Amino acid sequence: MTRQLAVGLTGGIASGKSVVSSAFERLGIEVVDADQVARDIVEPGQPALEEIRARFGDAIIDGDGRLDRRQMRGIVFDDPDARVALEKITHPRIREALATRRDAVRSEYSLLAVPLLVKSGMSALVDRILVVDAPESVQMARLIDRDGIDEELARKMIAAQDTRTLRLAAADDVLVNTGPRKDIADLAAALHAGYSRLARGDIDNLPPMHLPG
């Protein structure tokens, strides 16, 4: 059986991916969220959590036996080797789970929201890439406000992701998210109309779309 169309949604941290995902969900499209998958695979009892404990020690486990995300974040953003070690444990499992959940989607196409879509090689899971784009200065301001962190950590978090240049080079479609949130629904609806036609087979190809916000 031919697999349905899969669109990969990516963008820098605090670019507005979750807002865009929600807009597509309101249009009836099922979203497979890599961040949720990443949380699921490190739940207590999961092999990934035990591997992380073995690699980084008991200090990264909280009192409830769960991964202490704040502690883990502090480690990996200060040590690139630690980040690579963590990704070697989690990325294969995330990739496998994303593919499984993608194939279980029953909407006319699936949307895979993956922050490291390009850098991780997970772009192979999708047929088309939609990038939510915002200047780094906008990301910085949103991230500091959202997470209550300082500028130094915000810069490290942005640097750990795909570069803006890499994302845009891989993009089929770009949604520029610098305007009011109310505009996102209209922009998502325009993208959805094109994806629906492609998913139904009404058209064989869809020209790249670049939507300013």
Side-chain angles (χ1 to χ4, degrees):
M1 188 172 84
T2 303
R3 178 176 59 77
Q4 67 180 175
L5 176 71
V7 177
L9 171 66
T10 193
I13 192 167
S15 61
K17 296 183 299 297
S18 61
V19 177
V20 176
S21 290
S22 296
F24 276 93
E25 286 180 322
R26 288 192 294 272
L27 293 166
I29 299 304
E30 294 181 48
V31 175
V32 181
D33 185 355
D35 286 342
Q36 182 60 55
V37 170
R39 288 190 289 271
D40 291 344
I41 66 164
V42 295
E43 282 290 294
Q46 292 296 320
L49 183 60
E50 295 311 309
E51 285 192 38
I52 293 170
R53 184 203 296 263
R55 171 61 177 79
F56 296 99
D58 290 337
I60 53 86
I61 304 298
D62 68 17
D64 296 323
R66 297 180 178 276
L67 182 66
D68 187 329
R69 294 184 173 278
R70 182 175 291 274
Q71 180 80 1
M72 193 78 250
R73 185 170 68 180
I75 293 172
V76 299
F77 287 120
D78 280 334
D79 183 350
D81 291 337
R83 185 170 69 248
V84 170
L86 178 65
E87 290 174 350
K88 283 183 177 179
I89 295 170
T90 59
H91 279 191
R93 292 180 169 93
I94 292 171
R95 183 189 183 97
E96 181 179 3
L98 284 172
T100 298
R101 296 185 190 191
R102 175 202 64 191
D103 294 344
V105 165
R106 292 294 173 261
S107 53
E108 58 185 330
Y109 62 89
S110 60
L111 191 74
L112 275 64
V114 187
L116 295 175
L117 184 69
V118 182
K119 187 177 181 180
S120 68
M122 293 186 199
S123 55
L125 296 172
V126 301
D127 306 297
R128 194 173 181 95
I129 296 175
L130 166 61
V131 170
V132 182
D133 185 47
E136 186 173 308
S137 59
V138 174
Q139 290 178 258
M140 285 281 294
R142 289 173 177 168
L143 188 54
I144 291 169
D145 180 63
R146 186 190 74 186
D147 290 5
I149 59 176
D150 60 26
E151 184 174 325
E152 182 182 1
L153 180 54
R155 289 192 184 280
K156 288 178 181 178
M157 293 172 71
I158 290 172
Q161 298 204 315
D162 295 345
T163 66
R164 189 182 183 196
T165 300
L166 184 65
R167 285 192 299 270
L168 292 175
D172 294 293
D173 309 304
V174 178
L175 189 162
V176 180
N177 181 24
T178 54
R181 282 195 173 195
K182 61 182 177 59
D183 294 343
I184 295 298
D186 292 338
L187 298 175
L191 290 160
H192 171 66
Y195 298 154
S196 292
R197 294 180 66 202
L198 194 59
R200 290 194 303 265
D202 294 346
I203 54 175
D204 293 327
N205 295 291
L206 184 63
M209 293 183 279
H210 190 288
L211 304 181

